[in-house]
Amino acid sequence: MAPPIDQQQALDRAVAALLVVRCSGHPADGQRRYPRWELDNASLRRLLQRGVGGVILLGGSAAELRLRTRQLAAWASEPLLLCADVEEGVGQRFEGASWLVPPLALAGIHATDPALALDLARRYGACTGREARQLGLNWVLAPVCDVNNNPANPVINVRAWGEDPATAGALAAAFCHGAQAEGVLTCAKHFPGHGDTASDSHLELPLLPHSRARLEAVELPPFRDAIAAEVAAVMTAHLLLPALDAEHPATLSRPVLTGLLREALGFEGLIVTDALVMEAIAGRYGASEAAVLALEAGADLVLMPGDADGAIDAIVAAVHNGRLSLEQLQASLERRRLALGRCPASDDPSAAAPLGRLSNGPSGPDQALALELVQRSLEQQGQGPVRGGPGVNLIRLDNSLACPFLSATAPALALPAAAGWRACLIDGHGPSPWSGDGEAPLALERLGEGPVLLQLFVRGNPFRGRADGPDPWPAVIRQLQAAGRLAGLALYGSPYAWQALQPLLEPGIPAAWSPAQMALAQGELLGRLGFGPGPSGGTAPGAAVDTDFTD
């Protein structure tokens, strides 16, 4: 016999509250960058009215986000969890807020001055939490607690706070203290540790073949530190650990989520899955079944199921048929309620203003913090300025068509252009610049004459599948030096690429590395190489860009 309608509706809404769906920070449907994953407004509003309890946002400006979060709250009948992947500050995802150096930059500072690094990590967290709250977010999906002890890791890389457990744990805990003191929730990820993997769970299911003893020594300590810092939530990893569960990925594993995280580590907060649309899960389980399995394993919240309505219906059916108990559901709802209770009501005196405090950019202290982090983490070899120019400004990046750090006025383009250097981009979309010769891989005749300033944007990123990209940069360095054409090297991102290329440089070749890639880092690094600020403080209009590698 079916339960009464009012009981059925209450159960439906209770289940819906445990879902977190994704939408764009832009207000209009036509502005969505990733419509495959971002709900249109009609669907979003309907799901919120059905009772869906959380939204993850991506894209848009800080001002748009402030209005968007208000809109979502108005559409929902209950308080929402509003979150974003802002691991490098709110400006990483929402233009106009503070974009900070990647967390791994602070690991280098920690090696020489631990007290300073811990203070910077706390301030980093405070900046992130404060700006998130000012824009209407109450949940920051950071810090990454993975130990990036595998340089070939294609997806964690500079997102981690350290390459050893002690550094990663101490800095992640400091971030939690700073952010949560500003009235937002934080989230330690990706449990039980995604740092020592050579594949990307966005694309496939990674295997972590380590024993429980090894996990206790390397992967788990940063999560213990975050739990001690009262982190509000822990996010699961989509990876297989045969030592704990030979059948299910960690996200769907009761031995991992309940046995290890809840019982062994004593975590009492929210357990949230990583996005269920990632191929490590979506390629193996149906969207509805994955949501049920995650809750069976001990998760409280389901992030980005492939079909939100189907997931709600499947979870409700699992309660009716006994796979999931009402008691477990109520326990998850109570943890969610307690988490939201940690977020105080807004005391922002500008709340009545439509765009708020960040409508004209970050505060002076936060701008100073962003610059200090860039300056302290930057490394330089040789003394600038770059000599022998103007010539070719050869820039390598993943994708110039969707590149938030390389607009037409970005310093990497504008500062050399102001000095007469002609830009050429390598981004995988234009004709290949490669000759096919392993010893001299770059087709120099396609670049034109003159010295070459080599600017490389290289870091691990989701969906790329590689940490360093496929390009033969050591051979390029040797080739350009043999031809007498290497004027300088600017590297942004991976410390491992810098460690591989820097020893190959001849004495006197000016070079610098920043773990960050945004405009602030570009301007500071190129300033070290002798390129002065453009007419607008680091930008120069009309920078010529050539993507076809012809004269």
Side-chain angles (χ1 to χ4, degrees), residues 262-299:
R262 281 273 184 243
E263 297 173 358
L265 271 64
F267 179 61
E268 298 179 351
L270 285 169
I271 299 177
V272 58
T273 71
D274 205 345
L276 294 188
V277 294
M278 293 163 60
E279 278 303 306
I281 300 297
R284 289 166 171 77
Y285 304 90
S288 300
E289 178 65 8
V292 175
L293 287 171
L295 295 186
E296 278 188 310

Side-chain angles (χ1 to χ4, degrees), residues 296-337:
E296 278 188 310
D300 298 303
L301 301 176
V302 174
L303 176 64
M304 290 178 61
D307 174 2
D309 288 303
I312 295 170
D313 293 342
I315 296 168
V316 168
V319 173
H320 287 318
N321 65 30
R323 284 183 68 183
L324 293 170
S325 69
L326 279 173
E327 292 76 16
Q328 179 182 341
L329 203 67
Q330 290 298 332
S332 292
L333 289 168
E334 178 64 9
R335 282 188 280 267
R336 180 184 179 277
R337 185 189 69 80

Side-chain angles (χ1 to χ4, degrees), residues 63 66-67 70 350-356:
R66 182 177 172 85
L67 297 175
R70 289 183 177 185
S350 67
L355 303 184

Side-chain angles (χ1 to χ4, degrees), residues 193-208:
H194 206 317
D196 193 14
T197 57
S199 55
D200 179 1
S201 51
H202 293 81
L203 303 174
E204 57 187 308
L205 180 64
L207 173 69
L208 199 64

Side-chain angles (χ1 to χ4, degrees), residues 101-169:
V101 299
L104 196 61
L106 279 80
I109 301 171
H110 189 269
T112 57
D113 193 338
L116 172 62
L118 290 172
D119 181 62
L120 289 171
R122 180 194 58 78
R123 292 165 58 196
Y124 191 124
C127 171
T128 303
R130 182 169 52 254
E131 292 191 349
R133 188 170 176 226
Q134 288 172 354
L135 298 178
L137 300 175
N138 55 16
W139 190 14
V140 169
L141 299 185
V144 169
C145 285
D146 307 311
V147 180
N148 198 74
N149 59 352
N150 184 348
N153 192 314
V155 66
I156 301 302
N157 201 258
V158 293
R159 300 166 62 197
W161 286 90
E163 298 168 300
D164 64 87
T167 299

